[in-house]
Amino acid sequence: MRKASRLFEIIQILRLARKPMTAAVMAETLEVTVRSIYRDIAALQAMRVPIEGGRGIGYIMRPGFDLPPLMFSIEEMEAIVLSLALLERTADEELKQAARRVNRKISGAVPAPLRQAMDNKALYAWGSIAQPAGFDLAIVRRAIRDERKLMLGYRDELGRESERTIRPVALIYYSQTANIVAWCELRQAIRNFRSDRVERCTAGDDFFKGDGDRLRELWTSGWTEKPIAV
């Protein structure tokens, strides 16, 4: 869990708690270390979130603190509904599960008229559903965020197999498949790798920290609608 998500979850835990919550209990709930909870509490207090307490006795939040409400127009809500429906057409199972959680969270947070816009089943995403890839697309998304190299076993359009070390910078979702945009160390250029042609995908031990933005700029500066051959 990323730090921003942990901070939000800690606030939610303390808002709903009826008695002081120890760092150990919160750490177990969020599946992190107690030390992480202490650091997060200190960070929240530095942001003037009214958390009181200390180690060994637990933490409470003073009454009156609340997060800003989520407010959307009807058009914005319809955009969310359609976006979540489109995610259901992809082969990225982790993203699909996340979309369902988002739907539940927003439905529980918005006023009744907006909740009706989410629940009335008036907007649909139609078309073919992408076939599952032979690997977890979440590996690619994490590698893009972490600027981590990937090792691919790849088969081109003629069926020829090769081993590639790539620096992934973007992931393009189509109705039938997904394309990994990456710097290919074999070709020494930006290439597109179709997910349905990837035989193996594993995270490497090497990183390209600080180079992701430059590679994305290189990609977008030479963008065409036709993917570059690999």
Side-chain angles (χ1 to χ4, degrees), residues 181-193:
V181 181
W183 176 266
C184 176
E185 296 193 351
L186 177 65
R187 302 300 188 200
Q188 287 294 294
I190 295 288
R191 290 292 185 264
N192 288 265
F193 298 88

Side-chain angles (χ1 to χ4, degrees), residues 14 19-21 23 26 38 41 51-55 57-60:
L14 293 177
K19 61 180 182 179
M21 298 290 292
M26 288 188 281
Y38 287 143
I41 292 290
I51 297 174
E52 297 179 343
R55 302 186 182 193
I57 60 174
Y59 297 91
I60 59 172

Side-chain angles (χ1 to χ4, degrees), residues 1-221:
M1 181 181 291
R2 290 190 166 190
K3 183 175 181 178
S5 298
R6 286 203 315 272
L7 296 180
F8 177 83
E9 293 295 337
I10 289 171
I11 289 174
Q12 293 292 74
I13 290 171
L14 293 177
R15 284 179 62 236
L16 299 174
R18 297 186 177 182
K19 61 180 182 179
M21 298 290 292
T22 65
V25 170
M26 288 188 281
E28 183 178 359
T29 301
L30 300 178
E31 299 181 346
V32 297
T33 65
V34 172
R35 182 175 296 179
S36 294
I37 296 297
Y38 287 143
R39 286 198 297 262
D40 292 341
I41 292 290
L44 288 168
Q45 289 172 332
M47 292 185 280
R48 299 187 178 180
V49 177
I51 297 174
E52 297 179 343
R55 302 186 182 193
I57 60 174
Y59 297 91
I60 59 172
M61 183 176 292
R62 290 201 305 270
F65 180 82
D66 208 349
L67 294 172
L70 286 174
M71 294 302 294
F72 302 102
S73 68
I74 292 294
E75 290 76 17
E76 290 168 339
M77 187 60 66
E78 289 178 339
I80 292 171
V81 169
L82 188 55
S83 298
L84 296 177
L86 287 169
L87 275 175
E88 288 288 342
R89 319 303 292 178
T90 73
D92 195 322
E93 189 60 36
E94 187 177 75
L95 276 187
K96 288 195 288 187
Q97 292 177 8
R100 294 163 195 157
R101 294 196 301 271
V102 168
N103 198 319
R104 290 194 297 270
K105 286 181 178 180
I106 294 178
S107 293
V110 299
L114 295 181
R115 189 179 309 122
Q116 183 178 1
M118 295 193 73
D119 297 339
N120 64 11
K121 309 299 182 186
L123 297 177
Y124 291 86
W126 200 252
S128 59
I129 299 177
Q131 294 299 310
F135 64 101
D136 190 352
L137 287 170
I139 296 173
V140 180
R141 288 188 285 102
R142 293 190 186 103
I144 293 171
R145 293 197 300 264
D146 297 338
E147 296 185 335
R148 185 172 192 160
K149 294 183 182 182
L150 294 176
M151 317 296 291
L152 300 185
Y154 192 72
R155 174 174 43 83
D156 67 15
E157 60 184 357
L158 299 178
R160 297 172 298 197
E161 296 185 8
S162 61
E163 299 293 325
R164 306 293 184 98
T165 299
I166 65 170
R167 304 176 189 183
V169 296
L171 190 56
I172 306 173
Y173 289 87
Y174 295 95
S175 58
Q176 294 84 18
T177 185
N179 270 15
I180 306 168
V181 181
W183 176 266
C184 176
E185 296 193 351
L186 177 65
R187 302 300 188 200
Q188 287 294 294
I190 295 288
R191 290 292 185 264
N192 288 265
F193 298 88
R194 287 179 52 136
S195 62
D196 55 354
R197 294 179 183 166
V198 174
E199 304 288 342
R200 297 175 305 283
C201 178
T202 57
D205 295 327
D206 296 326
F207 294 81
F208 54 102
K209 292 290 188 181
D211 203 30
D213 288 340
R214 182 188 68 84
L215 291 174
R216 270 183 291 276
E217 289 179 6
L218 179 64
W219 168 51
T220 55
S221 66

